Short mmCIF file of all heavy atoms in Angstrom, two decimals:
data_model
loop_
_atom_site.label_atom_id
_atom_site.label_comp_id
_atom_site.label_asym_id
_atom_site.label_seq_id
_atom_site.Cartn_x
_atom_site.Cartn_y
_atom_site.Cartn_z
N MET A 1 17.25 3.67 -5.13
CA MET A 1 15.82 3.60 -5.41
C MET A 1 15.28 5.01 -5.62
O MET A 1 15.37 5.87 -4.76
CB MET A 1 15.11 2.94 -4.23
CG MET A 1 13.63 2.80 -4.44
SD MET A 1 12.93 1.76 -3.18
CE MET A 1 11.91 2.94 -2.32
N THR A 2 14.74 5.25 -6.79
CA THR A 2 14.16 6.55 -7.06
C THR A 2 12.65 6.50 -6.90
O THR A 2 12.01 5.51 -7.26
CB THR A 2 14.49 7.01 -8.49
OG1 THR A 2 14.03 6.02 -9.40
CG2 THR A 2 15.96 7.22 -8.67
N THR A 3 12.12 7.55 -6.37
CA THR A 3 10.68 7.62 -6.22
C THR A 3 10.15 8.80 -7.02
O THR A 3 10.17 9.92 -6.56
CB THR A 3 10.27 7.75 -4.74
OG1 THR A 3 11.10 8.74 -4.14
CG2 THR A 3 10.41 6.45 -4.01
N ALA A 4 9.73 8.51 -8.24
CA ALA A 4 9.14 9.54 -9.07
C ALA A 4 7.72 9.85 -8.60
O ALA A 4 7.20 10.92 -8.81
CB ALA A 4 9.11 9.10 -10.52
N VAL A 5 7.14 8.87 -7.98
CA VAL A 5 5.77 9.04 -7.50
C VAL A 5 5.81 9.68 -6.12
O VAL A 5 6.61 9.31 -5.29
CB VAL A 5 5.05 7.67 -7.41
CG1 VAL A 5 3.63 7.84 -6.90
CG2 VAL A 5 5.05 7.02 -8.77
N ALA A 6 4.96 10.63 -5.93
CA ALA A 6 4.89 11.31 -4.63
C ALA A 6 4.60 10.29 -3.54
O ALA A 6 3.78 9.39 -3.72
CB ALA A 6 3.81 12.37 -4.66
N ASP A 7 5.28 10.48 -2.44
CA ASP A 7 5.15 9.51 -1.36
C ASP A 7 3.96 9.86 -0.49
O ASP A 7 4.06 10.14 0.67
CB ASP A 7 6.44 9.52 -0.54
CG ASP A 7 6.50 8.29 0.35
OD1 ASP A 7 5.81 7.31 0.06
OD2 ASP A 7 7.25 8.34 1.34
N ARG A 8 2.82 9.81 -1.11
CA ARG A 8 1.62 10.21 -0.38
C ARG A 8 1.12 9.07 0.50
O ARG A 8 1.39 7.91 0.24
CB ARG A 8 0.53 10.66 -1.35
CG ARG A 8 0.01 9.51 -2.21
CD ARG A 8 -1.02 10.01 -3.22
NE ARG A 8 -1.44 8.92 -4.10
CZ ARG A 8 -2.35 8.02 -3.77
NH1 ARG A 8 -2.93 8.08 -2.59
NH2 ARG A 8 -2.67 7.06 -4.60
N THR A 9 0.38 9.45 1.47
CA THR A 9 -0.21 8.47 2.37
C THR A 9 -1.50 7.94 1.76
O THR A 9 -2.27 8.68 1.17
CB THR A 9 -0.51 9.13 3.72
OG1 THR A 9 0.70 9.67 4.24
CG2 THR A 9 -1.07 8.12 4.70
N LEU A 10 -1.69 6.67 1.89
CA LEU A 10 -2.93 6.07 1.41
C LEU A 10 -4.08 6.48 2.33
O LEU A 10 -3.90 6.67 3.52
CB LEU A 10 -2.80 4.54 1.41
CG LEU A 10 -1.75 4.00 0.45
CD1 LEU A 10 -1.49 2.53 0.73
CD2 LEU A 10 -2.19 4.18 -0.99
N ASN A 11 -5.25 6.60 1.73
CA ASN A 11 -6.40 6.96 2.54
C ASN A 11 -7.59 6.06 2.21
O ASN A 11 -7.47 5.12 1.42
CB ASN A 11 -6.74 8.44 2.37
CG ASN A 11 -7.12 8.76 0.94
OD1 ASN A 11 -7.91 8.03 0.32
ND2 ASN A 11 -6.57 9.82 0.39
N ALA A 12 -8.71 6.36 2.79
CA ALA A 12 -9.88 5.49 2.67
C ALA A 12 -10.40 5.40 1.23
O ALA A 12 -11.17 4.50 0.91
CB ALA A 12 -10.98 5.98 3.59
N LEU A 13 -9.98 6.33 0.39
CA LEU A 13 -10.43 6.30 -1.00
C LEU A 13 -9.59 5.36 -1.85
O LEU A 13 -9.94 5.05 -2.98
CB LEU A 13 -10.39 7.70 -1.61
CG LEU A 13 -11.32 8.72 -0.95
CD1 LEU A 13 -11.12 10.10 -1.58
CD2 LEU A 13 -12.77 8.29 -1.07
N ASP A 14 -8.45 4.94 -1.31
CA ASP A 14 -7.60 4.01 -2.04
C ASP A 14 -8.08 2.60 -1.77
O ASP A 14 -8.17 2.16 -0.62
CB ASP A 14 -6.15 4.18 -1.57
CG ASP A 14 -5.58 5.51 -2.02
OD1 ASP A 14 -5.66 5.81 -3.21
OD2 ASP A 14 -5.08 6.24 -1.16
N ARG A 15 -8.37 1.89 -2.84
CA ARG A 15 -8.99 0.57 -2.72
C ARG A 15 -8.12 -0.51 -3.33
O ARG A 15 -7.49 -0.30 -4.36
CB ARG A 15 -10.35 0.58 -3.43
CG ARG A 15 -11.37 1.50 -2.77
CD ARG A 15 -11.81 0.93 -1.44
NE ARG A 15 -12.38 1.95 -0.56
CZ ARG A 15 -12.83 1.69 0.67
NH1 ARG A 15 -12.80 0.47 1.14
NH2 ARG A 15 -13.30 2.64 1.42
N CYS A 16 -8.17 -1.67 -2.71
CA CYS A 16 -7.44 -2.83 -3.21
C CYS A 16 -7.90 -3.16 -4.63
O CYS A 16 -9.11 -3.21 -4.90
CB CYS A 16 -7.68 -4.02 -2.29
SG CYS A 16 -6.98 -5.56 -2.88
N ASP A 17 -6.95 -3.37 -5.53
CA ASP A 17 -7.29 -3.70 -6.91
C ASP A 17 -7.91 -5.09 -7.03
O ASP A 17 -8.52 -5.42 -8.04
CB ASP A 17 -6.02 -3.66 -7.78
CG ASP A 17 -5.55 -2.22 -8.00
OD1 ASP A 17 -6.38 -1.31 -7.90
OD2 ASP A 17 -4.36 -2.03 -8.27
N ARG A 18 -7.77 -5.89 -6.03
CA ARG A 18 -8.28 -7.26 -6.10
C ARG A 18 -9.66 -7.40 -5.49
O ARG A 18 -10.51 -8.10 -6.00
CB ARG A 18 -7.31 -8.21 -5.37
CG ARG A 18 -5.97 -8.36 -6.09
CD ARG A 18 -6.11 -9.16 -7.37
NE ARG A 18 -4.88 -9.17 -8.15
CZ ARG A 18 -3.93 -10.07 -8.00
NH1 ARG A 18 -4.03 -10.99 -7.08
NH2 ARG A 18 -2.85 -10.02 -8.75
N CYS A 19 -9.88 -6.78 -4.35
CA CYS A 19 -11.12 -7.04 -3.62
C CYS A 19 -11.90 -5.79 -3.25
O CYS A 19 -13.03 -5.89 -2.80
CB CYS A 19 -10.83 -7.86 -2.38
SG CYS A 19 -9.98 -6.94 -1.09
N GLY A 20 -11.31 -4.62 -3.44
CA GLY A 20 -12.04 -3.39 -3.16
C GLY A 20 -12.00 -2.96 -1.70
O GLY A 20 -12.60 -1.95 -1.35
N ALA A 21 -11.29 -3.70 -0.88
CA ALA A 21 -11.12 -3.26 0.51
C ALA A 21 -10.17 -2.07 0.56
O ALA A 21 -9.50 -1.76 -0.43
CB ALA A 21 -10.56 -4.40 1.35
N GLN A 22 -10.11 -1.41 1.69
CA GLN A 22 -9.21 -0.28 1.79
C GLN A 22 -7.77 -0.74 1.58
O GLN A 22 -7.34 -1.75 2.13
CB GLN A 22 -9.34 0.40 3.15
CG GLN A 22 -8.48 1.66 3.23
CD GLN A 22 -8.74 2.48 4.49
OE1 GLN A 22 -9.71 2.24 5.19
NE2 GLN A 22 -7.88 3.42 4.75
N ALA A 23 -7.05 0.03 0.77
CA ALA A 23 -5.69 -0.35 0.43
C ALA A 23 -4.71 0.15 1.47
O ALA A 23 -4.82 1.28 1.96
CB ALA A 23 -5.32 0.22 -0.94
N TYR A 24 -3.77 -0.69 1.80
CA TYR A 24 -2.72 -0.32 2.74
C TYR A 24 -1.33 -0.47 2.14
O TYR A 24 -0.34 -0.14 2.77
CB TYR A 24 -2.82 -1.15 4.02
CG TYR A 24 -3.91 -0.66 4.93
CD1 TYR A 24 -5.19 -1.21 4.87
CD2 TYR A 24 -3.69 0.37 5.83
CE1 TYR A 24 -6.21 -0.76 5.68
CE2 TYR A 24 -4.70 0.84 6.64
CZ TYR A 24 -5.95 0.28 6.57
OH TYR A 24 -6.96 0.74 7.37
N VAL A 25 -1.26 -0.99 0.92
CA VAL A 25 0.03 -1.15 0.26
C VAL A 25 -0.07 -0.60 -1.14
O VAL A 25 -1.00 -0.90 -1.89
CB VAL A 25 0.45 -2.64 0.21
CG1 VAL A 25 1.76 -2.79 -0.55
CG2 VAL A 25 0.58 -3.20 1.62
N ARG A 26 0.90 0.25 -1.51
CA ARG A 26 0.96 0.81 -2.85
C ARG A 26 2.23 0.30 -3.51
O ARG A 26 3.33 0.46 -2.97
CB ARG A 26 0.98 2.34 -2.79
CG ARG A 26 1.04 3.00 -4.15
CD ARG A 26 0.59 4.45 -4.07
NE ARG A 26 1.29 5.18 -3.01
CZ ARG A 26 2.43 5.83 -3.21
NH1 ARG A 26 2.99 5.87 -4.38
NH2 ARG A 26 3.00 6.47 -2.20
N VAL A 27 2.05 -0.32 -4.66
CA VAL A 27 3.18 -0.89 -5.38
C VAL A 27 3.39 -0.10 -6.66
O VAL A 27 2.44 0.15 -7.40
CB VAL A 27 2.90 -2.37 -5.73
CG1 VAL A 27 4.07 -2.96 -6.50
CG2 VAL A 27 2.61 -3.18 -4.48
N VAL A 28 4.62 0.32 -6.90
CA VAL A 28 4.95 1.01 -8.14
C VAL A 28 5.71 0.03 -9.02
O VAL A 28 6.75 -0.49 -8.64
CB VAL A 28 5.82 2.26 -7.87
CG1 VAL A 28 6.11 2.97 -9.18
CG2 VAL A 28 5.11 3.18 -6.88
N LEU A 29 5.15 -0.21 -10.19
CA LEU A 29 5.77 -1.18 -11.10
C LEU A 29 6.97 -0.56 -11.79
O LEU A 29 6.90 0.55 -12.31
CB LEU A 29 4.75 -1.63 -12.14
CG LEU A 29 3.57 -2.42 -11.58
CD1 LEU A 29 2.58 -2.74 -12.69
CD2 LEU A 29 4.05 -3.70 -10.92
N GLU A 30 8.04 -1.32 -11.82
CA GLU A 30 9.28 -0.82 -12.40
C GLU A 30 9.13 -0.62 -13.91
O GLU A 30 9.62 0.35 -14.47
CB GLU A 30 10.40 -1.83 -12.13
CG GLU A 30 11.78 -1.27 -12.37
CD GLU A 30 12.84 -2.15 -11.73
OE1 GLU A 30 12.62 -3.37 -11.64
OE2 GLU A 30 13.87 -1.61 -11.32
N SER A 31 8.41 -1.51 -14.58
CA SER A 31 8.32 -1.47 -16.04
C SER A 31 7.51 -0.28 -16.53
O SER A 31 7.94 0.45 -17.41
CB SER A 31 7.71 -2.76 -16.56
OG SER A 31 6.48 -3.01 -15.91
N SER A 32 6.34 -0.09 -15.96
CA SER A 32 5.43 0.93 -16.46
C SER A 32 5.36 2.17 -15.58
O SER A 32 4.88 3.21 -16.02
CB SER A 32 4.02 0.33 -16.57
OG SER A 32 3.56 -0.02 -15.29
N GLY A 33 5.81 2.05 -14.36
CA GLY A 33 5.66 3.15 -13.43
C GLY A 33 4.24 3.25 -12.90
O GLY A 33 3.92 4.15 -12.14
N GLY A 34 3.41 2.30 -13.30
CA GLY A 34 2.03 2.30 -12.83
C GLY A 34 1.93 1.87 -11.38
O GLY A 34 2.84 1.25 -10.84
N GLU A 35 0.83 2.22 -10.79
CA GLU A 35 0.62 1.90 -9.39
C GLU A 35 -0.42 0.81 -9.24
O GLU A 35 -1.41 0.78 -9.96
CB GLU A 35 0.10 3.12 -8.63
CG GLU A 35 1.15 4.12 -8.27
CD GLU A 35 0.56 5.21 -7.38
OE1 GLU A 35 -0.54 5.03 -6.83
OE2 GLU A 35 1.21 6.24 -7.25
N LEU A 36 -0.18 -0.06 -8.30
CA LEU A 36 -1.19 -1.04 -7.90
C LEU A 36 -1.43 -0.87 -6.40
O LEU A 36 -0.51 -0.59 -5.65
CB LEU A 36 -0.70 -2.47 -8.19
CG LEU A 36 -0.48 -2.83 -9.65
CD1 LEU A 36 0.18 -4.20 -9.73
CD2 LEU A 36 -1.78 -2.82 -10.42
N LEU A 37 -2.67 -1.03 -6.03
CA LEU A 37 -3.03 -0.89 -4.62
C LEU A 37 -3.56 -2.20 -4.10
O LEU A 37 -4.33 -2.89 -4.78
CB LEU A 37 -4.09 0.21 -4.46
CG LEU A 37 -3.68 1.60 -4.93
CD1 LEU A 37 -4.88 2.54 -4.88
CD2 LEU A 37 -2.54 2.14 -4.11
N PHE A 38 -3.17 -2.55 -2.89
CA PHE A 38 -3.62 -3.80 -2.30
C PHE A 38 -3.96 -3.60 -0.83
O PHE A 38 -3.33 -2.81 -0.14
CB PHE A 38 -2.54 -4.88 -2.41
CG PHE A 38 -2.19 -5.24 -3.83
CD1 PHE A 38 -1.01 -4.80 -4.39
CD2 PHE A 38 -3.06 -5.99 -4.60
CE1 PHE A 38 -0.68 -5.13 -5.70
CE2 PHE A 38 -2.75 -6.31 -5.91
CZ PHE A 38 -1.56 -5.88 -6.46
N CYS A 39 -4.94 -4.36 -0.40
CA CYS A 39 -5.20 -4.44 1.04
C CYS A 39 -4.08 -5.28 1.67
O CYS A 39 -3.26 -5.87 0.96
CB CYS A 39 -6.56 -5.08 1.28
SG CYS A 39 -6.66 -6.81 0.75
N GLY A 40 -4.06 -5.34 2.98
CA GLY A 40 -3.02 -6.10 3.65
C GLY A 40 -3.00 -7.55 3.21
O GLY A 40 -1.94 -8.13 2.95
N HIS A 41 -4.18 -8.14 3.09
CA HIS A 41 -4.28 -9.54 2.72
C HIS A 41 -3.70 -9.79 1.33
O HIS A 41 -2.88 -10.70 1.13
CB HIS A 41 -5.74 -9.98 2.78
CG HIS A 41 -5.98 -11.34 2.22
ND1 HIS A 41 -5.72 -12.49 2.93
CD2 HIS A 41 -6.44 -11.75 1.01
CE1 HIS A 41 -6.02 -13.53 2.18
NE2 HIS A 41 -6.47 -13.11 1.00
N HIS A 42 -4.13 -9.00 0.35
CA HIS A 42 -3.68 -9.24 -1.01
C HIS A 42 -2.23 -8.80 -1.23
O HIS A 42 -1.55 -9.32 -2.10
CB HIS A 42 -4.64 -8.58 -2.00
CG HIS A 42 -5.90 -9.37 -2.20
ND1 HIS A 42 -7.13 -8.94 -1.78
CD2 HIS A 42 -6.08 -10.60 -2.73
CE1 HIS A 42 -8.03 -9.89 -2.05
NE2 HIS A 42 -7.42 -10.90 -2.62
N ALA A 43 -1.77 -7.84 -0.45
CA ALA A 43 -0.36 -7.48 -0.54
C ALA A 43 0.51 -8.68 -0.20
O ALA A 43 1.49 -8.96 -0.88
CB ALA A 43 -0.07 -6.32 0.40
N ARG A 44 0.10 -9.41 0.84
CA ARG A 44 0.84 -10.62 1.19
C ARG A 44 0.76 -11.64 0.06
O ARG A 44 1.72 -12.33 -0.25
CB ARG A 44 0.28 -11.24 2.46
CG ARG A 44 0.43 -10.40 3.71
CD ARG A 44 1.85 -10.33 4.22
NE ARG A 44 1.98 -9.27 5.23
CZ ARG A 44 2.27 -8.02 4.94
NH1 ARG A 44 2.49 -7.64 3.71
NH2 ARG A 44 2.37 -7.12 5.90
N ALA A 45 -0.43 -11.74 -0.54
CA ALA A 45 -0.66 -12.76 -1.56
C ALA A 45 0.18 -12.52 -2.81
O ALA A 45 0.60 -13.47 -3.46
CB ALA A 45 -2.14 -12.80 -1.92
N VAL A 46 0.42 -11.25 -3.16
CA VAL A 46 1.13 -10.96 -4.41
C VAL A 46 2.58 -10.57 -4.17
O VAL A 46 3.33 -10.38 -5.13
CB VAL A 46 0.43 -9.82 -5.19
CG1 VAL A 46 -1.01 -10.19 -5.53
CG2 VAL A 46 0.50 -8.50 -4.43
N GLU A 47 2.97 -10.48 -2.92
CA GLU A 47 4.29 -9.93 -2.61
C GLU A 47 5.42 -10.70 -3.30
O GLU A 47 6.31 -10.09 -3.91
CB GLU A 47 4.51 -9.95 -1.09
CG GLU A 47 5.82 -9.29 -0.68
CD GLU A 47 5.89 -9.10 0.84
OE1 GLU A 47 4.97 -9.54 1.55
OE2 GLU A 47 6.88 -8.51 1.29
N ALA A 48 5.36 -12.02 -3.24
CA ALA A 48 6.44 -12.82 -3.81
C ALA A 48 6.55 -12.61 -5.31
O ALA A 48 7.64 -12.62 -5.88
CB ALA A 48 6.21 -14.29 -3.50
N THR A 49 5.41 -12.41 -5.96
CA THR A 49 5.39 -12.24 -7.41
C THR A 49 5.76 -10.83 -7.82
O THR A 49 6.55 -10.62 -8.76
CB THR A 49 3.98 -12.56 -7.95
OG1 THR A 49 3.60 -13.86 -7.51
CG2 THR A 49 3.95 -12.49 -9.47
N LEU A 50 5.19 -9.86 -7.13
CA LEU A 50 5.30 -8.47 -7.59
C LEU A 50 6.53 -7.74 -7.06
O LEU A 50 7.03 -6.84 -7.71
CB LEU A 50 4.06 -7.69 -7.20
CG LEU A 50 2.83 -7.87 -8.10
CD1 LEU A 50 1.72 -6.94 -7.64
CD2 LEU A 50 3.17 -7.59 -9.56
N LYS A 51 6.97 -8.11 -5.89
CA LYS A 51 8.04 -7.32 -5.29
C LYS A 51 9.29 -7.25 -6.17
O LYS A 51 9.88 -6.18 -6.31
CB LYS A 51 8.39 -7.83 -3.89
CG LYS A 51 8.94 -6.72 -3.00
CD LYS A 51 8.77 -7.07 -1.53
CE LYS A 51 9.01 -5.82 -0.66
NZ LYS A 51 8.74 -6.07 0.75
N PRO A 52 9.68 -8.36 -6.80
CA PRO A 52 10.86 -8.28 -7.69
C PRO A 52 10.63 -7.38 -8.90
O PRO A 52 11.59 -6.95 -9.54
CB PRO A 52 11.07 -9.74 -8.13
CG PRO A 52 10.35 -10.55 -7.11
CD PRO A 52 9.18 -9.72 -6.68
N LEU A 53 9.37 -7.13 -9.25
CA LEU A 53 9.04 -6.33 -10.43
C LEU A 53 8.76 -4.88 -10.08
O LEU A 53 8.49 -4.06 -10.96
CB LEU A 53 7.79 -6.91 -11.13
CG LEU A 53 7.84 -8.38 -11.50
CD1 LEU A 53 6.49 -8.82 -12.05
CD2 LEU A 53 8.93 -8.63 -12.54
N SER A 54 8.82 -4.57 -8.82
CA SER A 54 8.41 -3.24 -8.40
C SER A 54 9.62 -2.36 -8.10
O SER A 54 10.68 -2.83 -7.72
CB SER A 54 7.54 -3.34 -7.15
OG SER A 54 8.31 -3.77 -6.05
N SER A 55 9.42 -1.08 -8.32
CA SER A 55 10.46 -0.11 -7.96
C SER A 55 10.14 0.56 -6.64
O SER A 55 10.95 1.28 -6.09
CB SER A 55 10.62 0.93 -9.06
OG SER A 55 9.41 1.64 -9.24
N GLY A 56 8.94 0.33 -6.18
CA GLY A 56 8.55 0.91 -4.90
C GLY A 56 7.52 0.03 -4.23
O GLY A 56 6.63 -0.51 -4.89
N TRP A 57 7.66 -0.11 -2.94
CA TRP A 57 6.72 -0.94 -2.18
C TRP A 57 6.40 -0.17 -0.91
O TRP A 57 7.13 -0.22 0.07
CB TRP A 57 7.35 -2.29 -1.86
CG TRP A 57 6.37 -3.30 -1.33
CD1 TRP A 57 5.95 -3.44 -0.03
CD2 TRP A 57 5.67 -4.29 -2.08
NE1 TRP A 57 5.03 -4.46 0.06
CE2 TRP A 57 4.85 -5.00 -1.18
CE3 TRP A 57 5.67 -4.65 -3.43
CZ2 TRP A 57 4.02 -6.05 -1.59
CZ3 TRP A 57 4.85 -5.70 -3.83
CH2 TRP A 57 4.04 -6.39 -2.92
N HIS A 58 5.29 0.55 -1.00
CA HIS A 58 4.92 1.46 0.08
C HIS A 58 3.91 0.75 0.97
O HIS A 58 2.76 0.59 0.61
CB HIS A 58 4.34 2.74 -0.54
CG HIS A 58 4.01 3.79 0.47
ND1 HIS A 58 4.98 4.53 1.11
CD2 HIS A 58 2.83 4.22 0.93
CE1 HIS A 58 4.37 5.37 1.93
NE2 HIS A 58 3.07 5.22 1.84
N ASP A 59 4.38 0.31 2.12
CA ASP A 59 3.57 -0.56 2.97
C ASP A 59 3.10 0.21 4.20
O ASP A 59 3.91 0.64 5.01
CB ASP A 59 4.42 -1.76 3.38
CG ASP A 59 3.60 -2.81 4.10
OD1 ASP A 59 2.56 -2.48 4.71
OD2 ASP A 59 4.01 -3.98 4.06
N GLU A 60 1.81 0.36 4.29
CA GLU A 60 1.25 1.04 5.46
C GLU A 60 0.43 0.08 6.31
O GLU A 60 -0.42 0.50 7.09
CB GLU A 60 0.37 2.21 5.02
CG GLU A 60 1.15 3.29 4.31
CD GLU A 60 0.27 4.49 3.97
OE1 GLU A 60 -0.84 4.59 4.48
OE2 GLU A 60 0.73 5.31 3.16
N THR A 61 0.68 -1.21 6.15
CA THR A 61 -0.11 -2.18 6.91
C THR A 61 0.09 -2.02 8.42
O THR A 61 -0.74 -2.47 9.19
CB THR A 61 0.23 -3.62 6.51
OG1 THR A 61 1.64 -3.81 6.58
CG2 THR A 61 -0.25 -3.92 5.11
N GLY A 62 1.18 -1.37 8.80
CA GLY A 62 1.40 -1.11 10.21
C GLY A 62 0.29 -0.28 10.81
O GLY A 62 0.00 -0.37 12.01
N ARG A 63 -0.34 0.53 9.95
CA ARG A 63 -1.43 1.37 10.43
C ARG A 63 -2.66 0.56 10.81
O ARG A 63 -3.52 1.04 11.54
CB ARG A 63 -1.81 2.40 9.36
CG ARG A 63 -0.74 3.44 9.13
CD ARG A 63 -1.03 4.25 7.88
NE ARG A 63 -2.35 4.87 7.94
CZ ARG A 63 -3.18 4.99 6.90
NH1 ARG A 63 -2.82 4.55 5.73
NH2 ARG A 63 -4.34 5.56 7.04
N LEU A 64 -2.74 -0.66 10.31
CA LEU A 64 -3.87 -1.51 10.66
C LEU A 64 -3.92 -1.78 12.15
O LEU A 64 -4.97 -2.01 12.73
CB LEU A 64 -3.77 -2.85 9.92
CG LEU A 64 -4.14 -2.84 8.44
CD1 LEU A 64 -3.67 -4.13 7.79
CD2 LEU A 64 -5.64 -2.71 8.27
N HIS A 65 -2.77 -1.75 12.76
CA HIS A 65 -2.69 -2.09 14.17
C HIS A 65 -2.58 -0.86 15.06
O HIS A 65 -2.50 -0.97 16.27
CB HIS A 65 -1.49 -3.01 14.40
CG HIS A 65 -1.49 -4.19 13.50
ND1 HIS A 65 -2.46 -5.17 13.57
CD2 HIS A 65 -0.69 -4.53 12.45
CE1 HIS A 65 -2.22 -6.06 12.61
NE2 HIS A 65 -1.17 -5.70 11.93
N GLU A 66 -2.55 0.29 14.40
CA GLU A 66 -2.45 1.52 15.16
C GLU A 66 -3.80 1.88 15.75
O GLU A 66 -4.84 1.66 15.16
CB GLU A 66 -2.02 2.68 14.25
CG GLU A 66 -0.54 2.81 14.12
CD GLU A 66 -0.20 4.00 13.22
OE1 GLU A 66 -1.11 4.81 12.94
OE2 GLU A 66 0.94 4.08 12.79
N LYS A 67 -3.72 2.48 16.89
CA LYS A 67 -4.93 3.06 17.44
C LYS A 67 -5.19 4.39 16.74
O LYS A 67 -4.24 5.04 16.30
CB LYS A 67 -4.74 3.29 18.93
CG LYS A 67 -4.46 1.99 19.69
CD LYS A 67 -5.14 1.99 21.02
CE LYS A 67 -5.10 0.64 21.72
NZ LYS A 67 -4.19 -0.35 21.25
N PRO A 68 -6.44 4.76 16.63
CA PRO A 68 -6.71 6.06 16.02
C PRO A 68 -6.01 7.16 16.79
O PRO A 68 -5.89 7.07 18.02
CB PRO A 68 -8.23 6.21 16.14
CG PRO A 68 -8.76 4.86 16.42
CD PRO A 68 -7.63 4.08 17.06
N PRO A 69 -5.54 8.16 16.07
CA PRO A 69 -4.82 9.24 16.77
C PRO A 69 -5.71 9.92 17.80
O PRO A 69 -6.87 10.23 17.53
CB PRO A 69 -4.42 10.21 15.65
CG PRO A 69 -5.20 9.80 14.46
CD PRO A 69 -5.62 8.38 14.65
N VAL A 70 -5.16 10.11 18.95
CA VAL A 70 -5.89 10.76 20.03
C VAL A 70 -5.18 12.06 20.35
O VAL A 70 -3.97 12.08 20.54
CB VAL A 70 -5.93 9.86 21.29
CG1 VAL A 70 -6.64 10.59 22.42
CG2 VAL A 70 -6.61 8.54 20.98
N SER A 71 -5.92 13.11 20.36
CA SER A 71 -5.31 14.40 20.67
C SER A 71 -5.03 14.49 22.16
O SER A 71 -5.87 14.14 22.99
CB SER A 71 -6.20 15.55 20.21
OG SER A 71 -7.42 15.51 20.91
N VAL A 72 -3.83 14.89 22.45
CA VAL A 72 -3.42 15.02 23.85
C VAL A 72 -3.36 16.49 24.19
O VAL A 72 -2.69 17.27 23.51
CB VAL A 72 -2.04 14.38 24.08
CG1 VAL A 72 -1.62 14.53 25.54
CG2 VAL A 72 -2.08 12.92 23.66
N ASP A 73 -4.03 16.85 25.21
CA ASP A 73 -3.95 18.26 25.61
C ASP A 73 -3.75 18.43 27.11
O ASP A 73 -3.40 17.47 27.79
CB ASP A 73 -5.16 19.06 25.13
CG ASP A 73 -6.45 18.56 25.77
OD1 ASP A 73 -6.36 17.76 26.73
OD2 ASP A 73 -7.52 18.94 25.30
ZN1 ZN B 1 -7.67 -7.12 -1.29
#
């Protein structure tokens, strides 16, 4: 699996292409190299269709359940 696209972390400016919620999954299409962004909900909804067509499936939905980082000193 090659990743021509930088493996950047998604942030609050990345929005789901379907509903505009914050995106937690970035899909790189194998055919065009284009990126699609999805929230956790829509990532699940399109996974069966898109995953076979994708060259990259960057899933950060685990962060949904993370607590905000707390500085320890
Ligand atoms: Zn969505």
